[in-house]
Amino acid sequence: MGKGDLSPPVADPGVSGEPASSTLAHAVREHLSALLADTHFQISARRKEILSYIVEQTLEGKGPRLKGFELAVAVLGRDETFDPQTNTIIRVEVSKLRKELEAYYEASAAQHSLRIEIPRGRYAPVFHTMPSPAEDPPPKDEPLSPPKGAPLRRRLTLLGATLAVVICAVLGLMLLQHPSSGVVQAAGPVVIVTDFKASDEDGAPIATGLTNALVSDLTRFDGLQVFYGRTPEEWSQNSSTLLSGVPVFMVTGNVDRGETHMRTSARLLDYSTGRVIWSRSFLRPIDVAAMLDVQDEITADIASKLAQTYGLISYNAGQQIARGRPTSMFAYECVQKAFQYRITFSSELYPSMRACLERASRQDPGYADVWTMLAFAHLDAVRLHHVAPELVQSEMDAALATALQGVELGPERVRPLQALAAVRFMRGDYAEAERVQKRAIELNPNNPESLAQLGWRFAVRGRSEEAIHLLQSAIQHGLIIPSWYHTTLAVAYLDRDTPDLAYDEAKRGQGFCCGLGKAMLAVTAAEKGRRDEAYAMLEAAKAEAPMLSRNPHAFWSAWNVNEALIARFNASLERLSDETHKGGSSEIR
């Protein structure tokens, strides 16, 4: 049942300013109580408070007087200095609440005789009675080109969540027919999402964003094992971890960006045979606000139907994480460029990436990911020594402020929490960093990045056993393993006095940026007596990170390595230098 099936509101005290009748007020309060207790309506405590407040105020006839300032003071506890013109938190939270209500009712409308709606442009809700449910008509294929005059929200439905639920639908059908190998399946089917390819540089940020969104959305479906492989060939080289008898599917796609429209094609293949199971092409205007606005609604609606139809996926519409969305393509592309930078941490890319994010934060202050990536950029300025020592404190303060803004806009999203945890850790607030990171893991236990980040922090603080467990879990949940995962394991194994394992992991992690990967290989090679290799790696690390030559202690402490480990690492490197200067043999004595 869609929005077009709503009855006219039974009353709109939000406009009339009259108190609701006792009958309506009783019905609405009962419905609100049931709604807030429904486990399928999973929203933040803050938005529950906002909903309760605006409903009660509207029932009392105070709807026309509901303003952003009042909500900020009454619900969020802000003081008289709060300025709703410059602080968008109330508008953002009510927008998220509006979408969450719409998604919830779309998924379960037949169960309710009443519906609460928050019209756009106002804070006072209206209350609808629901007509008797009729059988839904069969779905129609969406035309390749948007029909002339179609509503914007209908025309611009894109892409990641839409593709995710369609892929899950096809997987459900395929699995019903998939021949059994006779092997007990310990886990669900595997879906590999490869990088969407862009036809030119202009389409690359969109292709990257779509790939990331698709992986994120698919991981929220229980019963699927989701992996990321940059190319089909890369997957082939790293597929040994698959369980025997598990059906494997691969997602590939292309993005072709024109001046005003973008065409995206996607395909789902049976990995074992290469057969194309499903394919589709989408033509959409380049309007990021509209194309992202409907993702949650579509995901909740279609996924809910799939769960009922196929019994394959357990998907709770309320678990779809609300996004602090961009309103401009410029801001969206800045964030994607920041992701690309973080693959290499290139010092050449850093200035333009940061300038782009700073401009985007001014143009699009309600976009959570801009603030999140800007927080990481401020941290990189410190730990990668992009700023002079006298500017370190101001960078750390800016990192905290931007991370907090990201969390305020997206309090139940993983990435803002990851950024805040990183900032807290860099500032030495280790307990709070651990708490925030564990909250991110609770939201998505299968996110390998969250597991590995916490593992790094445990490793450099001397909690090696916990670090090893987390990194092993992160590697199990990932296909393409970043080099720093192995560098982290090298630190933990060395702290546990298992130098052979430490050396093996450091070899795998030597490509990690900023001199750290090579420095750890130099340390572990030195401890194993591999002087020539250790010396070569030390020189390569110094070339990447001159700070390692000027001030080794500052180099390690920039990554929050504890004093005991710094002393051990530096002692190994100093012994290496002494042996080299003495012209000793190829083995350290």
Side-chain angles (χ1 to χ4, degrees), residues 282-303:
F282 302 81
L283 183 67
R284 295 291 182 271
I286 301 174
D287 185 334
V288 70
M291 72 186 186
L292 292 178
D293 189 46
V294 296
Q295 283 188 358
D296 288 348
E297 301 171 33
I298 294 172
T299 302
D301 182 38
I302 299 177

Side-chain angles (χ1 to χ4, degrees), residues 79-273:
D79 59 25
E80 300 295 323
T81 63
F82 179 82
D83 183 359
Q85 299 303 314
T86 59
N87 190 325
T88 62
I89 186 61
I90 286 296
R91 292 197 299 275
V92 169
E93 289 293 291
V94 172
S95 176
K96 290 177 181 178
L97 177 58
R98 179 184 297 114
K99 296 181 183 74
E100 289 165 336
L101 284 167
E102 290 170 355
Y104 171 77
Y105 287 119
E106 288 294 314
S108 60
Q111 304 173 20
H112 305 288
S113 59
L114 190 79
R115 175 170 177 163
I116 300 172
E117 180 189 12
I118 306 174
R120 294 189 179 278
R122 57 186 269 189
Y123 296 125
V126 296
F127 313 113
H128 298 270
T129 57
M130 302 299 289
S132 299
E135 184 176 352
D136 288 340
K140 298 179 180 179
D141 288 337
E142 192 173 354
L144 181 61
S145 298
K148 185 176 181 180
L152 186 63
R153 289 173 61 84
R154 175 66 176 167
R155 295 199 328 264
L156 300 181
T157 302
L158 186 90
L159 263 180
T162 309
L163 295 179
V165 295
V166 173
I167 288 166
C168 286
V170 178
L171 287 175
L173 292 171
M174 288 294 296
L175 290 171
L176 293 177
Q177 307 170 29
H178 201 284
S180 172
S181 65
V183 178
V184 176
Q185 187 172 311
V190 168
V191 181
I192 311 114
V193 181
T194 62
D195 277 335
F196 276 52
K197 296 180 180 179
S199 59
D200 55 32
E201 291 184 358
D202 289 340
I206 297 173
T208 301
L210 180 57
T211 304
N212 292 337
L214 190 55
V215 171
S216 177
D217 286 332
L218 283 170
T219 59
R220 303 190 202 291
F221 291 85
D222 294 340
L224 292 182
Q225 299 183 83
V226 182
F227 294 96
Y228 164 62
R230 294 197 179 108
T231 66
E233 294 74 23
E234 203 168 35
W235 165 258
S236 299
Q237 297 166 6
N238 293 274
S239 59
S240 59
T241 58
L242 285 181
L243 297 172
S244 176
V246 175
V248 182
F249 304 90
M250 179 173 285
V251 181
T252 65
N254 297 84
V255 174
D256 184 9
R257 176 174 176 170
E259 290 187 5
T260 61
H261 283 69
M262 171 175 58
R263 183 182 296 274
T264 301
S265 60
R267 291 163 296 282
L268 181 69
L269 300 89
D270 185 318
Y271 178 74
S272 62
T273 65

Side-chain angles (χ1 to χ4, degrees), residues 317-435:
Q319 295 295 328
Q320 180 70 10
I321 296 179
R323 294 172 172 86
R325 299 178 181 280
T327 59
S328 69
M329 201 53 128
F330 173 78
Y332 178 80
E333 291 183 343
C334 282
V335 168
Q336 301 314 315
K337 289 175 182 176
F339 282 125
Q340 292 173 340
Y341 153 79
R342 296 191 68 76
I343 295 173
T344 63
F345 292 89
S346 166
S347 58
E348 289 78 17
L349 295 177
Y350 178 84
S352 60
M353 176 274 302
R354 175 164 168 171
C356 191
L357 289 173
E358 288 174 341
R359 180 181 168 193
S361 69
R362 294 189 294 269
Q363 291 187 2
D364 203 345
Y367 184 17
D369 281 352
V370 162
W371 298 103
T372 296
M373 301 311 289
L374 193 52
F376 280 123
H378 285 297
L379 284 186
D380 290 343
V382 175
R383 59 190 173 191
L384 304 184
H385 309 288
H386 290 316
V387 295
E390 61 269 19
L391 298 178
V392 165
Q393 187 58 50
S394 64
E395 288 290 330
M396 291 302 297
D397 291 343
L400 180 59
T402 50
L404 288 170
Q405 181 69 6
V407 171
E408 187 167 16
L409 292 168
E412 295 181 21
R413 296 187 57 224
V414 169
R415 193 173 296 126
L417 291 169
Q418 289 176 339
L420 180 59
V423 173
R424 293 293 192 193
F425 184 77
M426 283 283 289
R427 294 174 69 92
D429 191 352
Y430 302 129
E432 179 63 10
E434 181 177 342
R435 185 195 69 79

